Amino acid sequence: MNAYDEYMKGIVKPMREELTSNGFTELTTGEEVESFMNELNDTAFFVINSVCGCAAGLARPSAVQAVIESEKKPANVMTVFAGQDKEATATLREYLADFPPSSPSMAVFKGKEVVGFIPREQIEGSTPEDIKARIQSIFAQM
């Protein structure tokens, strides 16, 4: 691992932990994503995490609060980290082929079907309450 990779690993650690310490399962390889998706028969909420402060700083806490406060929740809450776990993110994006790559972003799956997608454009510049409401609206339709 080069110095840049080591530096970034330290920088993103709290960004990862903001989700993982709140019950999100992080997938870091393409094989992990493929295995999870192959076995997915119920619902899953994915946060495609990102370093971007303007949107990711809103996305993570909004996602956490949406899960905590929702009556209807997905069976699985998952995350991949764009720009860090590139293979995992690329593999997940194969399941999101109808949507342009966007990070941060969020997707809700029912089985392998995407039933909701929130791109960066709907996160950046929004309030945490608005983002949480968008997520919860998708959860309610699962």
Side-chain angles (χ1 to χ4, degrees), residues 2 11-12 19-20 22 24 31-32 38 46-47 51 54 60 63 68 70 77 94 100 105 112 121 127 129 133 141:
N2 65 35
I11 293 291
V12 303
L19 294 173
T20 59
N22 283 289
F24 284 74
E31 291 82 21
E32 288 176 347
N38 283 337
F46 266 93
V47 173
V51 172
C54 51
R60 288 186 297 271
I68 289 171
S70 292
V77 289
E94 291 173 14
S105 60
K112 302 203 182 20
E121 294 78 34
T127 67
E129 293 78 18
Q141 298 170 34

Side-chain angles (χ1 to χ4, degrees), residues 59-114:
R60 288 186 297 271
S62 300
V64 168
Q65 288 307 306
V67 171
I68 289 171
E69 297 175 14
S70 292
E71 287 183 28
K72 188 171 185 182
K73 303 173 198 258
N76 304 278
V77 289
M78 314 297 293
T79 183
V80 297
F81 207 119
Q84 300 301 305
D85 302 321
K86 294 175 184 170
E87 182 188 318
T89 305
T91 302
L92 180 62
R93 285 183 173 150
E94 291 173 14
Y95 292 91
L96 298 168
D98 292 341
F99 304 93
S102 179
S103 58
S105 60
M106 302 173 200
V108 177
F109 290 86
K110 189 171 188 178
K112 302 203 182 20
E113 179 188 358
V114 180

